[in-house]
Amino acid sequence: MNRHVLWLILLGLFILQGSLVVWLLPASWQSIVYVTPHLPLVFIMFIGLFHHRHAALLYGLLFGLLHDFTYYGAMLGVYSFSMGLVGYLAGLAQRRQPNLIFYNLLITSLGLLIFEFLNYGINRLFKLIAVDLNFALTHYMLPSVLFNLLVALICYVPIRKLLEGKRLAASAKED
């Protein structure tokens, strides 16, 4: 499998995030809390966990910039910086640990939380939002993290097989 498949999967997740997933979330959820799906971010963190952290950094920077251009026009670079950094940190955290599902999902949840805090902090720093941290944490950040963690748990095994198969094929090609 070549790297073009990863680009196509990420592009498909990006399109799916903006079109279909919004309809799948119940309207009653959106009146109480605001849930934001971050499907490409979850896949980028899995790339960092199972493939390589530098690839996750590159995919995070590019798809974050695509997200900035497409959805978020107030300030460019917020999602690009956050997605790249979180993908790289996920790969960095995985370097010395075994590939256990609990540990990988813990890294994923911490990465999602760091992503939400980075976006909140940058937007608050430049005074684009005036939302209190407690309100943002309970109504925006934690529901989004829990929803994306549920998506990561559902997709964990297929993505792991896909990315570890890619890594094994690359190491066999080098030999």
Side-chain angles (χ1 to χ4, degrees), residues 37-147:
H38 300 296
L39 303 180
L41 176 64
V42 170
F43 192 74
I44 287 168
M45 282 193 289
F46 282 150
I47 290 173
L49 288 171
F50 300 125
H51 183 53
H52 201 270
R53 66 182 186 273
H54 295 141
L57 174 67
L58 177 69
Y59 289 125
L61 289 173
L62 292 176
F63 277 91
L65 195 60
L66 181 65
H67 192 278
D68 283 333
F69 281 136
T70 306
Y71 297 116
Y72 194 70
M75 185 169 52
L76 295 177
V78 176
Y79 271 75
S80 181
F81 171 73
S82 301
M83 286 177 102
L85 181 66
V86 166
Y88 185 81
L89 290 176
L92 196 63
Q94 179 57 26
R95 284 180 50 190
R96 297 187 186 105
Q97 298 299 327
N99 255 345
L100 301 174
I101 187 170
F102 174 74
Y103 185 72
N104 290 333
L105 289 177
L106 179 67
I107 291 172
T108 304
S109 63
L110 288 175
L112 289 166
L113 196 59
I114 289 170
F115 176 78
E116 294 290 340
F117 272 115
L118 280 172
N119 287 337
Y120 174 79
I122 291 171
N123 288 323
R124 183 71 188 237
L125 177 69
F126 291 107
K127 298 183 183 190
L128 295 175
I129 58 172
V131 178
D132 184 36
L133 178 63
N134 290 332
F135 183 81
L137 187 66
T138 57
H139 288 82
Y140 296 112
M141 293 181 196
L142 289 179
S144 295
V145 168
L146 290 175
F147 175 78

